Amino acid sequence: MPPISTTQTPGASLAEPALPASPWGMFLRGFLKQPAMVGSIVPSSGRLIRRMLAPVDWAGTKLFVEYGPGVGTFSRAILDRLPADGVYLAIDTCPDFVRYLRQTIRDDRMRAVHGSAADVERIVAEHGFEKADYVLSGLPFSTLPDGVGDAIADATRAVIRPGGAFLVYQFAPKVHALLTPRWTAIDHAVEWWNVPPANLYWAHQPPARPRD
């Protein structure tokens, strides 16, 4: 895997305001600016990350998408597992988080994009893919504006390839109501070793039908 560095991205604008040096400081800043989109003031635990990513078939993954990567709590774990020819597409509505990821994670497989998860089909296409293998989300669906959660769920259902999955971790179970009309095979667990404890969901895309 290409090395991870904390060096600033070459060519970054000198006019841009300085970002906090630590992930915790950056996370707090993002929470204060967009609490409805960040959802928690505490990053996910290592145990939650390992459990959430455990069912992924990494060998068969060409495109892994994450909504709301924040300061990269999952990013490094994803890149550690992703094949050398895979792509990790990190989509965030907060430009500060996108800039922070670009400055602190130097890996050619990562594409940090400022945008909305509801536009995932367009963003995936713009990066040369038709479908994603897996989509991960920690967006707080319970606090999103009306209609936004449904738009994200519909777009996600459309963009995941047959046999892929939508991986979701939440502190409130409301997201289950968005998943059940769109996916029939959903696994659920609770990770207590996290602050706060989190509901974990794996919504599996139906496999491709065999040709006659």
Side-chain angles (χ1 to χ4, degrees):
M1 185 187 80
I4 291 176
S5 168
T6 56
T7 306
Q8 182 172 343
T9 303
S13 172
L14 296 178
E16 292 177 337
L19 297 175
S22 73
W24 281 89
M26 189 65 217
F27 200 88
L28 177 59
R29 170 174 165 157
F31 179 82
L32 294 175
K33 291 180 70 173
Q34 293 183 311
M37 297 303 294
V38 176
S40 172
I41 199 169
V42 180
S44 301
S45 70
R47 185 164 174 172
L48 184 153
I49 294 169
R50 291 189 296 272
R51 193 172 182 185
M52 191 83 258
L53 299 178
V56 174
D57 173 19
W58 292 103
T61 300
K62 298 298 182 184
L63 178 62
F64 192 103
V65 178
E66 182 181 7
Y67 302 153
V71 298
T73 306
F74 270 89
S75 301
R76 291 161 177 82
I78 292 167
L79 290 167
D80 283 344
R81 294 161 172 78
L82 192 68
D85 62 346
V87 171
Y88 164 50
L89 188 55
I91 304 172
D92 207 299
T93 59
C94 177
D96 286 347
F97 282 152
V98 172
R99 186 156 60 97
Y100 185 84
L101 289 176
R102 291 173 178 170
Q103 290 181 3
T104 58
I105 301 181
R106 304 294 299 278
D107 191 310
D108 292 339
R109 296 169 300 165
M110 187 188 78
R111 319 276 175 83
V113 177
H114 178 220
S116 169
D119 297 323
V120 63
E121 292 178 273
R122 174 183 59 78
I123 295 172
V124 163
E126 288 176 350
H127 285 79
F129 291 88
E130 293 183 5
K131 297 286 184 178
D133 297 291
Y134 296 91
V135 176
L136 169 70
S137 177
L139 298 178
F141 284 93
S142 61
T143 62
L144 295 180
D146 290 342
V148 173
D150 286 290
I152 292 173
D154 287 339
T156 303
R157 177 67 175 79
V159 83
I160 298 175
R161 66 159 171 84
F166 186 25
L167 286 56
V168 186
Y169 59 101
Q170 299 282 287
F171 306 124
K174 183 178 179 180
V175 71
H176 190 263
L178 292 176
L179 299 177
T180 50
R182 298 169 175 88
W183 287 271
T184 56
I186 302 172
D187 295 327
H188 172 250
V190 177
E191 179 51 64
W192 298 101
W193 196 261
N194 195 74
V195 181
N199 286 276
L200 313 183
Y201 297 91
W202 298 268
H204 303 280
Q205 203 86 327
R209 294 181 179 180
R211 298 179 179 179
D212 296 331

